[in-house]
Structures are given as structure tokens and as C-alpha cells.
């Protein structure tokens, strides 16, 4: 059965997820996680959850899924070394330099490709698989049919699919909105959620949440994913509450186990829910819009309509039970087209059959006829788990040797010796059992016994060892290995090589940050491939035909799946373009190892400098203005609710937000948004 993987912003949430039926949890440590705002895990937390997972047949996945600048490589390497000590069932990473470090220096950590890598094609999955990734988290923008095709074409790699929670307007990993507007990097774990703001459409009085996506709720569709052989289903929400995680765990666990889910659905909506949709799973023309332009946050559970309003109360009819201190919200329409929430805590009410009379705060709003939602349930509370939980200790294989005049305890390079004159025991001893038992008591340190090998190299067939001597050997041995540093290898050496810079990035493309027509600069014809394509074969055929008409071709790669195209055509030169995340020198080394005809690359645009050594000189592109969004959500259809019938296939709009103006381009259902 498909694995149910839940988010965990802290240790308690992870334990509660497991208690309610999760197969696995994913979480970040307190640095280099794409959810900086979550509590995240300390290494003490990791030791506890690792032991719990091993003892209860559960899985833990750790996110190191931000892009890493050169000046943070030492820190992320130290982090990986500590994680490697405890172990996990997968490291979810976006940075290919980090992936290279894991593969070469920490090979026992399974590599999982983050959704931030924007893997949405067959070739993208195949590339990651060929370079050691055991699992790929697919982009959220794929339909069920597209996922099925990837599964059939890539049967030997694990696939993980996002099934519930917040959808981003910008394509996974490609969003620059937060950085350009607030200098907060989404790929650095500090997204400011610009897409949840409201904007005004030029030429109208409409001021709506044009980029605020509905929340995905796969519901019963998870069974289709299970049937097609998807390995893991991911739920979003490391910033959400314990109650949210618990209710979602129960909801999907009961769906998979064919149990009733009506109460679970109500609980899920109450804990946190925007307008629900099936996202891109059922992507087609004239679908229901994927944008809720009227309201961008938690709506809650619809419980009824306002039947009447007095000065200090309203009346509603509802089949739901209400409790004191429940959260209540009524959404009031405005002239601009948005809703504003009228929210209050339920303090006084009277129930008569299916009717409620509810006291409300003073308000100028006319609430009659408006819908009423329950946004929190005071009776819903997940108790924290206070069971005494042990910490993971790394098991080691110890060899205990008795010589004629000394005792030796050894593990790898750690060796403890004690002078001891061996004598014959007066009666038969279970010496090996005693050694095994005493060395199993490792205390509170980082290590414990796995196996103990006993060698008797003395001249005594039945040696006598006092328990006090064995215990002293154990104490000295564990003291010694607990002093060992975690990081035992230095960072791999990169050979520095100066290479010519690429042209100014603004010369290579105009309206869009990709260019399939080719542009001649300094004797070379430059092509830049699009970071998003849903017809990979057609794209590659188009590029192959274009390249036959020009000479001295150089091709910019903007998605991981395009590496296989480069390997298929070694007759051309290539460079790493802006959307392939050239973030640090180890990412550069990763690409040079794969592509011998690589001539350089553009440093990830949010990084303004780099530190030597590099295998080639990266070209800075800080002056090049990237779009804030590249989206599969069609602004014309999903944001403005216009029909697909009669669509010109190419549209342009202007929107404003406070003092900022934005250009929205729509072509063939793909939306690209620039900040003017």
C-alpha cells in the first residue's frame, strides 16, 4: 500500500502523526530547511524520533531542501555529518551540490529529490535516478495521467506525490516573488507568500486574491495513486498545528483502509482549510478554477446561513454541534470583489432543536443571508505524548580479546587495553554472556552494543574475569568512543579553474527567460530551454530541428531533465542557466562531472557572490530581471474565471498591489508574471 507521509514541525507532531496512522514523517532540522518558521528538530529530537521509528517500523525523512551558498557549505556539511550518525530513511534535497556531498561523503543516507527541483517529466526522473536518487518527489503541477506515464516509464525508482495542502501559484522551485518583493528567498526557506496578497486588475475596480491557489484535497484519488504504484503520498503542513496533522492522518488512513471519513472531513475543514480542489490532478480545459480570488486563508467548516440578525445576535440553522469558545467566521462581500472575515469566539448561544441563537460582537455589517463557518473547535485538542522515550544509540561491533597479560576492547580504530594477569576460573563461567550483557549497558552516550566477538588468546581455557574488571573496561571503552568527533572527513577538494564568462544574461532572451529561436552573441548562437514543459519529446524535437540551421551552438539548460538531452547531443556546447540552480562550487562540480562539454553557467540569481575554488568561473546575473511567477495556473481562466472557449491563447494583463505594478502574460495556458 502507498506510504502516508505527514509533515512534522516538531517532535510532538511527529509522534502524534505516528499515533494516528502515519507510515512516515518528514521534518527539517533547525537550519537549511525550507520551513524556517517551523519549530523544527534538534539533534536530541532526532535521536528520540529515530529510535521510535526503528522500534515501530516507521520511516523518517529529513529535509535539507534549500539552496546553499558557498559560505554555508561547511555548516551544511557538519549538519549532514550529524544526521549521518543517527541515520534516516531519506534526505530530501534540492541543491545538487548537497546531493553530490551526500553521495560521495555520506553514502548510507538515501537521496530523495525535493519537489523544489521542479521534476515534472520522465527525463527529469531518469536523470535523478541515474545519479543515485532513490526517490523523487514530483512537482505539484502534474495531472494523474501525467503521473501515470512517468510511473510506467520509470518503474525502478520510488515516486512521491503531493496529495493535500497548500498549492503555490509559482511552479515548484521557480518562484522569485518573495525574493523580489521582500528580499526573502523561497528557495532559502523564507517565503513571504506574496501569492496570498490581493491585487487590483488594471481598468477595473476589482481587487482580489488573483494568485491565491485553492488547497489540494486528493480525497479518494489517493487510491488511484496507490493503484498505479506510487510509493508515497505527501501531505503539506510543517507550519500547521498538531490537530491539523492528526486529523489529516486519520482522514487519509481511513480512506486507504476503506473506513468512513465523514467526521474526519469535518475535522480537517475545521482545523485548517482554504477552498478545496483536486488541484492539477484532473487538469483539463474548462475545469473549475484553481484560484480562490475572494479569500486567501482558512475558511473552515460551513455550518449554516444567517437567518436573521438583531443588534447583538444572529440566528442560524445548523446540524452541527457547537461548543463554547468555538471559532466562528462570517465572510462579508466587499465592493472590490473580496471577502472580509467577521470572526469571533462563540461565548453565548442558545440551542433550540436545529436552531442556534448566537451572541455576536458589535458590527456595522449586515450579516443576514451570509454563510457561517466554524474555524476552530474548542473540543478538539491533541494531547501531547509524554511516554518515556529513549534516544537512538548507534550500534557498534566490539571485539573483546583476552591475552595472557592484558584485556583488549576494540571497535574500528578505538582500542582500550588493560593489564591483567589471566588465571583459571575455579568453576565454569558463562564469560561471553557476561561480556555481552555488561557491554550492552552503554549508558546515555551515543553508542550501544550491536554484536560482541570474544577471542581467548590466553593460555587459560576457562579464564576468570571479575565483573568489576569487565565493567571498568566497558566504562573506559564507551567514554573513549563518545569523545569521537562526528565529522571525520574534510570537505572534498575542488580544483579551481578560470574560464571565460558567459554573455550578460539579458542578451539571451527577451519577453520570456527562455529562447528557442536562437540569438547570436560574439560568434555563438545561444538557445535557452524552458524550465517548464509538459511535452518533453516535442520540445527536444523542436530544439534538434533548430540546431541544424545554426552553427557554434550553445544551449542553456533550465531543468534537470534536460541533462539527458545534452548527453545525447555531445556535438554542442552547454551552460547551466538560471533555473538549474547553480548555487555553489559542488553543484558546479556535479555538472562538470556529467557534461564534459560544459562551458560555464550563471550563478543562481539570488546569490550575488561566490567563494573560490570553482571548477569554472560562474557568471553573475544579478542585473537580469526574472519573472516572479511561472505557473501552470492560467491567469485568464483560473484567476479571472473566463471560459476556455474562445480563448485567444495569448493574453496580457496589468495588475497592481500597493505601489507595485505587475505584467501578466498568458500563452498556451502558461502564466508568466513580471514585476514592472
Amino acid at each position: 500500500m502507498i506510504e502516508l507521509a505527514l509533515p512534522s514541525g516538531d517532535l510532538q507532531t511527529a509522534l502524534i502523526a505516528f499515533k494516528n496512522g502515519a507510515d512516515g514523517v518528514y521534518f527539517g532540522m533547525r537550519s537549511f530547511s525550507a520551513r524556517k518558521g517551523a519549530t523544527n528538530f534538534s539533534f536530541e529530537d532526532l535521536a528520540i524520533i529515530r529510535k521510535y521509528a526503528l522500534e515501530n517500523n516507521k520511516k523518517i525523512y529529513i529535509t535539507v531542501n534549500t539552496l546553499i551558498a558557498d559560505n554555508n557549505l561547511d555548516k551544511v556539511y557538519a549538519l549532514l555529518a550529524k544526521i549521518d550518525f543517527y541515520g534516516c530513511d531519506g534526505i530530501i534535497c534540492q541543491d545538487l551540490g548537497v546531493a553530490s556531498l551526500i553521495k560521495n561523503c555520506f553514502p548510507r543516507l538515501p537521496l530523495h529529490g525535493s519537489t523544489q527541483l521542479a521534476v515534472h517529466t520522465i527525463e527529469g526522473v531518469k536523470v535523478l535516478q541515474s545519479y543515485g536518487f532513490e526517490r523523487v518527489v514530483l512537482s505539484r503541477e502534474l495531472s494523474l495521467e501525467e503521473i501515470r506515464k512517468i510511473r510506467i516509464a520509470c518503474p525502478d525508482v520510488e515516486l512521491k506525490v503531493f496529495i493535500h495542502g497548500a498549492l503555490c501559484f509559482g511552479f515548484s522551485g521557480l518562484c522569485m516573488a518573495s525574493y523580489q518583493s521582500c528580499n526573502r528567498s523561497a528557495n532559502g526557506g523564507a517565503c513571504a507568500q506574496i501569492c496570498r496578497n490581493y491585487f487590483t486588475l488594471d481598468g477595473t475596480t476589482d481587487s482580489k486574491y488573483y494568485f491565491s491557489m485553492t488547497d489540494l484535497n486528493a480525497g479518494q484519488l489517493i487510491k488511484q495513486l496507490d493503484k498505479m504504484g506510487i510509493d508515497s503520498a505527501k501531505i503539506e503542513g510543517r507550519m500547521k498545528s498538531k490537530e491539523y496533522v492528526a486529523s489529516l492522518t486519520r482522514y487519509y488512513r481511513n480512506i486507504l483502509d476503506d473506513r468512513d471519513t465523514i467526521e474526519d472531513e469535518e475535522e480537517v475543514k475545521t482545523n485548517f482549510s482554504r477552498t478545496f480542489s483536486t488541484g492539477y490532478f484532473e487538469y483539463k480545459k474548462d475545469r473549475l478554477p484553481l484560484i480562490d480570488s475572494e479569500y486567501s486563508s482558512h475558511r473552515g467548516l460551513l455550518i449554516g446561513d444567517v437567518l436573521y440578525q438583531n443588534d447583538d445576535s444572529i440566528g442560524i440553522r445548523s446540524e452541527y454541534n457547537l461548543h463554547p469558545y468555538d471559532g466562528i467566521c462570517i465572510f462579508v462581500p466587499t465592493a472590490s470583489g473580496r471577502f472580509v472575515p467577521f470572526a469571533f469566539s462563540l461565548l453565548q448561544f442558545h440551542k433550540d432543536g436545529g436552531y442556534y441563537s448566537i451572541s455576536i460582537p458589535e458590527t456595522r455589517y449586515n450579516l443576514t443571508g451570509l454563510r457561517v463557518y466554524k474555524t476552530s473547535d474548542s473540543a478538539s485538542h491533541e494531547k501531547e505524548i509524554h511516554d518515556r522515550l529513549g534516544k537512538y544509540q548507534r550500534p557498534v561491533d566490539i571485539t573483546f580479546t583476552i591475552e595472557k597479560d592484558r584485556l583488549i576492547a576494540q571497535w574500528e580504530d578505538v582500542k582500550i587495553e588493560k593489564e591483567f594477569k589471566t588465571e583459571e576460573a575455579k568453576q565454569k563461567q558463562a564469560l561471553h554472556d557476561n561480556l555481552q550483557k555488561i557491554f550492552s549497558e552503554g549508558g546515555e552516550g551515543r553508542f550501544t552494543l550491536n554484536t560482541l566477538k570474544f577471542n581467548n588468546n590466553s593460555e587459560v581455557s576457562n579464564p576468570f574475569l571479575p565483573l568489576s574488571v569487565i565493567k571498568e573496561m566497558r566504562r573506559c571503552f564507551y567514554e573513549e568512543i563518545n569523545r569521537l568527533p562526528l565529522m571525520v572527513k574534510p570537505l572534498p577538494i575542488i580544483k579551481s579553474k578560470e574560464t571565460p564568462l558567459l554573455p550578460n544574461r539579458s542578451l539571451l532572451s527577451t519577453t520570456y527567460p527562455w529562447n528557442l529561436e536562437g540569438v547570436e552573441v560574439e560568434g555563438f548562437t545561444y538557445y535557452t530551454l524552458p524550465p517548464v514543459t509538459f511535452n518533453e519529446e516535442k520540445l527536444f524535437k523542436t530544439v534538434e530541428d533548430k540546431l541544424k540551421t545554426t552553427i557554434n551552438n550553445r544551449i542553456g539548460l533550465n531543468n534537470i531533465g534536460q541533462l539527458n538531452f545534452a548527453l545525447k547531443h555531445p556535438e554542442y556546447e552547454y551552460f547551466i542557466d538560471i533555473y538549474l540552480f547553480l548555487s555553489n562550487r559542488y553543484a558546479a562540480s556535479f555538472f562538470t562531472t556529467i557534461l564534459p562539454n560544459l562551458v560555464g553557467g550563471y550563478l543562481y540569481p539570488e546569490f550575488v557572490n561566490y567563494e573560490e575554488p570553482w571548477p569554472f568561473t560562474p557568471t553573475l546575473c544579478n542585473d537580469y530581471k526574472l519573472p516572479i511567477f511561472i505557473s501552470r495556473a492560467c491567469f485568464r481562466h483560473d484567476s479571472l474565471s473566463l471560459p476556455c472557449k474562445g480563448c485567444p491563447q495569448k493574453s496580457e494583463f496589468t495588475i497592481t498591489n500597493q505601489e507595485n505594478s505587475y505584467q501578466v502574460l498568458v500563452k498556451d495556458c502558461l502564466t508568466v508574471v513580471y514585476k514592472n
Side-chain angles (χ1 to χ4, degrees), residues 199-214:
F199 298 79
T200 301
L201 182 65
D202 205 28
T204 75
T205 58
D206 292 344
S207 183
K208 297 184 178 181
Y209 301 97
Y210 288 120
F211 301 126
S212 183
M213 298 287 286
T214 55

mmCIF file of all heavy atoms in Angstrom, residues 199-214:
data_model
loop_
_atom_site.group_PDB
_atom_site.id
_atom_site.type_symbol
_atom_site.label_atom_id
_atom_site.label_comp_id
_atom_site.label_asym_id
_atom_site.label_seq_id
_atom_site.Cartn_x
_atom_site.Cartn_y
_atom_site.Cartn_z
ATOM 1 N N PHE A 199 -4.565 41.896 -5.296
ATOM 2 C CA PHE A 199 -4.087 42.751 -6.370
ATOM 3 C C PHE A 199 -5.296 43.369 -7.071
ATOM 4 O O PHE A 199 -6.388 42.800 -7.069
ATOM 5 C CB PHE A 199 -3.261 41.954 -7.383
ATOM 6 C CG PHE A 199 -2.014 41.343 -6.810
ATOM 7 C CD1 PHE A 199 -2.070 40.168 -6.066
ATOM 8 C CD2 PHE A 199 -0.782 41.937 -7.013
ATOM 9 C CE1 PHE A 199 -0.933 39.602 -5.530
ATOM 10 C CE2 PHE A 199 0.372 41.378 -6.479
ATOM 11 C CZ PHE A 199 0.302 40.211 -5.734
ATOM 12 N N THR A 200 -5.081 44.520 -7.708
ATOM 13 C CA THR A 200 -6.142 45.192 -8.449
ATOM 14 C C THR A 200 -5.892 45.037 -9.942
ATOM 15 O O THR A 200 -4.792 45.315 -10.432
ATOM 16 C CB THR A 200 -6.201 46.683 -8.084
ATOM 17 O OG1 THR A 200 -6.424 46.801 -6.673
ATOM 18 C CG2 THR A 200 -7.334 47.381 -8.825
ATOM 19 N N LEU A 201 -6.912 44.592 -10.650
ATOM 20 C CA LEU A 201 -6.811 44.421 -12.098
ATOM 21 C C LEU A 201 -6.957 45.773 -12.773
ATOM 22 O O LEU A 201 -7.928 46.505 -12.536
ATOM 23 C CB LEU A 201 -7.896 43.460 -12.580
ATOM 24 C CG LEU A 201 -7.917 43.130 -14.072
ATOM 25 C CD1 LEU A 201 -6.655 42.364 -14.472
ATOM 26 C CD2 LEU A 201 -9.162 42.317 -14.417
ATOM 27 N N ASP A 202 -5.990 46.112 -13.614
ATOM 28 C CA ASP A 202 -5.963 47.407 -14.283
ATOM 29 C C ASP A 202 -7.233 47.604 -15.111
ATOM 30 O O ASP A 202 -7.675 46.703 -15.822
ATOM 31 C CB ASP A 202 -4.726 47.496 -15.183
ATOM 32 C CG ASP A 202 -4.298 48.927 -15.413
ATOM 33 O OD1 ASP A 202 -4.554 49.763 -14.538
ATOM 34 O OD2 ASP A 202 -3.718 49.209 -16.478
ATOM 35 N N GLY A 203 -7.818 48.800 -15.018
ATOM 36 C CA GLY A 203 -9.015 49.104 -15.794
ATOM 37 C C GLY A 203 -10.303 48.697 -15.113
ATOM 38 O O GLY A 203 -11.389 48.848 -15.691
ATOM 39 N N THR A 204 -10.198 48.134 -13.892
ATOM 40 C CA THR A 204 -11.391 47.723 -13.153
ATOM 41 C C THR A 204 -11.264 48.180 -11.702
ATOM 42 O O THR A 204 -10.213 48.666 -11.272
ATOM 43 C CB THR A 204 -11.573 46.191 -13.168
ATOM 44 O OG1 THR A 204 -10.623 45.594 -12.278
ATOM 45 C CG2 THR A 204 -11.390 45.622 -14.566
ATOM 46 N N THR A 205 -12.334 47.990 -10.949
ATOM 47 C CA THR A 205 -12.282 48.221 -9.500
ATOM 48 C C THR A 205 -12.084 46.912 -8.747
ATOM 49 O O THR A 205 -12.084 46.900 -7.518
ATOM 50 C CB THR A 205 -13.588 48.886 -9.022
ATOM 51 O OG1 THR A 205 -14.695 48.036 -9.363
ATOM 52 C CG2 THR A 205 -13.774 50.252 -9.669
ATOM 53 N N ASP A 206 -11.925 45.813 -9.480
ATOM 54 C CA ASP A 206 -11.753 44.501 -8.855
ATOM 55 C C ASP A 206 -10.414 44.428 -8.145
ATOM 56 O O ASP A 206 -9.352 44.681 -8.736
ATOM 57 C CB ASP A 206 -11.833 43.387 -9.904
ATOM 58 C CG ASP A 206 -13.231 43.244 -10.485
ATOM 59 O OD1 ASP A 206 -14.159 43.792 -9.868
ATOM 60 O OD2 ASP A 206 -13.374 42.608 -11.532
ATOM 61 N N SER A 207 -10.451 44.075 -6.884
ATOM 62 C CA SER A 207 -9.238 43.923 -6.079
ATOM 63 C C SER A 207 -9.341 42.587 -5.366
ATOM 64 O O SER A 207 -10.036 42.475 -4.346
ATOM 65 C CB SER A 207 -9.132 45.085 -5.079
ATOM 66 O OG SER A 207 -7.942 45.009 -4.346
ATOM 67 N N LYS A 208 -8.674 41.596 -5.910
ATOM 68 C CA LYS A 208 -8.881 40.229 -5.445
ATOM 69 C C LYS A 208 -7.549 39.503 -5.239
ATOM 70 O O LYS A 208 -6.480 40.017 -5.560
ATOM 71 C CB LYS A 208 -9.744 39.455 -6.447
ATOM 72 C CG LYS A 208 -11.141 40.016 -6.626
ATOM 73 C CD LYS A 208 -11.963 39.138 -7.559
ATOM 74 C CE LYS A 208 -13.379 39.650 -7.716
ATOM 75 N NZ LYS A 208 -14.191 38.774 -8.599
ATOM 76 N N TYR A 209 -7.683 38.267 -4.741
ATOM 77 C CA TYR A 209 -6.507 37.416 -4.496
ATOM 78 C C TYR A 209 -6.253 36.580 -5.753
ATOM 79 O O TYR A 209 -6.519 35.383 -5.797
ATOM 80 C CB TYR A 209 -6.766 36.518 -3.293
ATOM 81 C CG TYR A 209 -7.063 37.276 -2.023
ATOM 82 C CD1 TYR A 209 -8.376 37.490 -1.621
ATOM 83 C CD2 TYR A 209 -6.042 37.782 -1.234
ATOM 84 C CE1 TYR A 209 -8.659 38.187 -0.457
ATOM 85 C CE2 TYR A 209 -6.317 38.481 -0.067
ATOM 86 C CZ TYR A 209 -7.628 38.683 0.314
ATOM 87 O OH TYR A 209 -7.903 39.376 1.473
ATOM 88 N N TYR A 210 -5.692 37.224 -6.775
ATOM 89 C CA TYR A 210 -5.615 36.588 -8.088
ATOM 90 C C TYR A 210 -4.602 35.445 -8.162
ATOM 91 O O TYR A 210 -4.616 34.668 -9.110
ATOM 92 C CB TYR A 210 -5.286 37.631 -9.160
ATOM 93 C CG TYR A 210 -6.425 38.573 -9.461
ATOM 94 C CD1 TYR A 210 -6.291 39.946 -9.270
ATOM 95 C CD2 TYR A 210 -7.645 38.089 -9.915
ATOM 96 C CE1 TYR A 210 -7.344 40.821 -9.539
ATOM 97 C CE2 TYR A 210 -8.700 38.952 -10.190
ATOM 98 C CZ TYR A 210 -8.542 40.314 -10.007
ATOM 99 O OH TYR A 210 -9.586 41.170 -10.278
ATOM 100 N N PHE A 211 -3.707 35.349 -7.181
ATOM 101 C CA PHE A 211 -2.696 34.283 -7.211
ATOM 102 C C PHE A 211 -2.878 33.278 -6.069
ATOM 103 O O PHE A 211 -2.027 32.408 -5.883
ATOM 104 C CB PHE A 211 -1.292 34.882 -7.133
ATOM 105 C CG PHE A 211 -0.978 35.844 -8.245
ATOM 106 C CD1 PHE A 211 -0.533 37.126 -7.965
ATOM 107 C CD2 PHE A 211 -1.156 35.475 -9.564
ATOM 108 C CE1 PHE A 211 -0.250 38.024 -8.983
ATOM 109 C CE2 PHE A 211 -0.872 36.366 -10.595
ATOM 110 C CZ PHE A 211 -0.426 37.647 -10.305
ATOM 111 N N SER A 212 -3.947 33.407 -5.314
ATOM 112 C CA SER A 212 -4.131 32.540 -4.150
ATOM 113 C C SER A 212 -4.783 31.226 -4.574
ATOM 114 O O SER A 212 -5.991 31.164 -4.838
ATOM 115 C CB SER A 212 -4.990 33.248 -3.098
ATOM 116 O OG SER A 212 -5.112 32.449 -1.944
ATOM 117 N N MET A 213 -3.994 30.192 -4.588
ATOM 118 C CA MET A 213 -4.472 28.886 -5.035
ATOM 119 C C MET A 213 -5.391 28.250 -3.994
ATOM 120 O O MET A 213 -5.257 28.477 -2.790
ATOM 121 C CB MET A 213 -3.294 27.952 -5.285
ATOM 122 C CG MET A 213 -2.329 28.406 -6.367
ATOM 123 S SD MET A 213 -2.988 28.219 -8.013
ATOM 124 C CE MET A 213 -2.893 26.438 -8.236
ATOM 125 N N THR A 214 -6.321 27.447 -4.480
ATOM 126 C CA THR A 214 -7.094 26.593 -3.587
ATOM 127 C C THR A 214 -6.172 25.576 -2.928
ATOM 128 O O THR A 214 -5.046 25.349 -3.391
ATOM 129 C CB THR A 214 -8.167 25.847 -4.385
ATOM 130 O OG1 THR A 214 -7.535 25.140 -5.472
ATOM 131 C CG2 THR A 214 -9.202 26.798 -4.959
#
